[in-house]
Amino acid sequence: MSLAGLKKQFNKANQYLNEKVGGAKGTELDEDFIEMERKIDVTSKLVDDLISKTNEFLQPNPMSRTKMATSNTISKVRGQSSKSSYPQPEGSLGDTMIKHGKELGDDSSFGSCLGEAGESFKQLAEIKYSLEDTVKQNFIEPLTHLQNKDIKEINHHRKKTSSRRLDYDCKRRKKDKGGSNITEEEINAAEEKFEESKSLAETAMNNLLENDVEQISQLCSFIESQLDYHRQAAVILEPLCDRIQNLRDDAASRPKSDHVPKRVTSFRESTKSKNYDNSLDSLDIGNRGSFTPQPVPKTSIPTREPCCKALYDFDPENEGELGFAEGDTIKLISQIDENWYEGEIHGVQGYFPTNYVEIVVPI
């Protein structure tokens, strides 16, 4: 920093302290400028909150958001281009309905209803992905651009205005007190720079506040996307509702058969001979030799290595995650962040949540 720049920084600090501590009066900005600054501060805060809350609206599960962000970060570090998608709850619910509907069997009316409902909910998940893409493109991305470019530029001009105002007031105060070698030319130059920065800041703030039609259009696009999603959802759900009601009526009108439970004694006698024959087959007879059960070797991790014990089962949902069962011992490789570890079990490496395990030997 040059001597002139160092002197200017000293003047600003001196004026700031005199105003805050000594009660010195600085140049007061006009009310219109102050009101613009207030509105810009409000706009900056609301843009931050809108981006955050809209992302929460589209992806409400914080655990899934964290896992997806971690997975994408790890893929980026490893040079992989694939990105994980947020698991829509409609799709997860649909898969569960289909799975258990099949388990109930084709002769179950409830199982058939679950299967049809599951397919419809998976369709809802697909249009939810489309809604997410549209909202991000037409609402979140413009707000992010406003936050990172326009508001950032305005705040730069405001900061420069405040800085040059302090420099101007310091020089003027020293000149008024006398005993200073500050010339009128220096004061006039400082005043011109102050006026220039104020004009740039005021123009930028006015342009943003007067051009709010863009923000209104983006909000309108967001609402239209929501409306379109609900229209498509209605197209999927209305015929499903009619179909389920028809299946309900069929099940209600179906004659019920009289079921007579079998006696336990008759079942035991009918299976007694089978059990006896099977027990003979399981014995070693003649030249077969004796059967000695072999113990299953247990794999363990030396306790001197960092490791942890699984408290619950963890089923991986995204690429790169490490699955394990309750009670497994997992070798710890590293801690990615406060929510995720990287580890190894059975020769497979991956990452997993910290709250699913108990540390045995810390890293």
Side-chain angles (χ1 to χ4, degrees):
M1 183 182 292
S2 65
L3 181 61
L6 186 62
K7 188 176 180 181
K8 185 179 292 186
Q9 293 298 324
F10 177 77
N11 287 339
K12 295 173 188 175
N14 180 273
Q15 179 65 23
Y16 181 81
L17 287 173
N18 273 277
E19 290 180 6
K20 295 298 181 182
V21 180
K25 292 291 185 180
T27 302
E28 295 183 357
L29 299 170
D30 56 88
E31 293 182 359
D32 291 341
F33 187 89
I34 294 173
E35 178 63 15
M36 283 185 182
E37 286 192 309
R38 186 192 68 80
K39 289 183 178 180
I40 290 297
D41 290 336
V42 172
T43 302
S44 178
K45 182 64 169 63
L46 75 86
V47 168
D48 289 342
D49 289 346
L50 273 179
I51 293 174
S52 173
K53 295 302 180 182
T54 305
N55 281 318
E56 290 180 16
F57 171 77
L58 295 174
Q59 301 173 352
N61 190 324
M63 185 66 177
S64 296
R65 286 201 310 271
T66 303
K67 289 171 64 177
M68 183 182 68
T70 304
S71 175
N72 291 336
T73 301
I74 293 175
S75 298
K76 187 176 181 180
V77 170
R78 293 177 177 175
Q80 299 172 349
S81 58
S82 61
K83 286 189 175 182
S84 302
S85 298
Y86 177 83
Q88 300 294 350
E90 293 87 351
S92 301
L93 178 59
D95 289 335
T96 300
M97 288 180 171
I98 293 172
K99 173 187 173 183
H100 293 296
K102 289 179 179 179
E103 290 174 349
L104 285 174
D106 296 334
D107 57 341
S108 170
S109 298
F110 183 45
S112 300
C113 292
L114 283 175
E116 294 195 28
E119 293 294 341
S120 296
F121 275 89
K122 291 182 71 174
Q123 293 179 40
L124 289 177
E126 292 302 319
I127 63 172
K128 193 74 171 290
Y129 281 121
S130 178
L131 166 69
E132 186 177 322
D133 292 339
T134 303
V135 171
K136 284 182 177 179
Q137 180 179 354
N138 298 332
F139 188 62
I140 295 179
E141 289 181 6
L143 287 177
T144 304
H145 181 272
L146 177 67
Q147 178 190 52
N148 295 336
K149 186 178 183 297
D150 297 342
I151 294 178
K152 187 176 181 180
E153 182 180 344
I154 289 172
N155 288 332
H156 168 73
H157 289 308
R158 289 173 62 190
K159 186 177 180 181
K160 204 163 188 179
T161 300
S162 176
S163 175
R164 288 182 168 178
R165 197 271 302 168
L166 289 172
D167 181 57
Y168 165 67
D169 284 343
C170 180
K171 290 177 178 178
R172 191 183 61 177
R173 179 173 55 82
K174 287 182 177 181
K175 181 69 175 176
D176 292 342
K177 283 186 175 181
S180 175
N181 56 357
I182 297 176
T183 64
E184 283 293 335
E185 288 76 11
E186 289 180 309
I187 295 177
N188 291 336
E191 184 179 11
E192 287 177 3
K193 288 183 178 181
F194 170 40
E195 288 285 356
E196 178 188 6
S197 294
K198 178 180 178 297
S199 178
L200 288 172
E202 190 167 348
T203 301
M205 288 191 294
N206 182 72
N207 289 341
L208 177 62
L209 296 173
E210 290 294 323
N211 199 28
D212 57 356
V213 63
E214 290 188 11
Q215 287 77 54
I216 298 173
S217 299
Q218 292 153 12
L219 179 60
C220 182
S221 175
F222 174 52
I223 296 172
E224 288 173 350
S225 300
Q226 281 291 307
L227 182 59
D228 184 55
Y229 164 75
H230 288 291
R231 283 172 178 163
Q232 293 182 63
V235 171
I236 294 171
L237 293 176
E238 284 176 354
L240 172 65
C241 185
D242 293 338
R243 174 64 178 158
I244 298 299
Q245 287 176 350
N246 291 334
L247 290 174
R248 180 199 61 190
D249 295 340
D250 291 344
S253 61
R254 184 177 61 236
K256 295 183 179 180
S257 59
D258 294 331
H259 177 73
V260 179
K262 294 181 180 180
R263 295 178 60 83
V264 176
T265 54
S266 62
F267 173 75
R268 184 171 63 246
E269 290 179 359
S270 65
T271 58
K272 185 176 182 181
S273 59
K274 290 183 181 180
N275 292 337
Y276 179 74
D277 293 338
N278 291 336
S279 64
L280 288 177
D281 292 338
S282 65
L283 295 175
D284 293 327
I285 302 175
N287 297 326
R288 295 183 185 178
S290 61
F291 171 74
T292 304
Q294 299 295 325
V296 179
K298 294 184 178 180
T299 59
S300 61
I301 298 174
T303 56
R304 65 177 179 274
E305 292 183 342
C307 62
C308 59
K309 183 178 180 181
L311 299 175
Y312 321 100
D313 294 346
F314 178 65
D315 297 322
E317 297 180 358
N318 300 300
E319 182 181 356
E321 293 180 349
L322 181 66
F324 48 77
E326 180 182 350
D328 282 348
T329 302
I330 308 158
K331 176 183 176 182
L332 291 174
I333 298 174
S334 65
Q335 183 166 0
I336 299 172
D337 55 31
E338 61 181 7
N339 297 313
W340 292 89
Y341 285 123
E342 184 177 15
E344 178 181 343
I345 185 172
H346 305 314
V348 179
Q349 294 185 2
Y351 58 95
F352 53 91
T354 58
N355 57 352
Y356 274 66
V357 298
E358 177 184 23
I359 298 300
V360 178
V361 179
I363 298 175

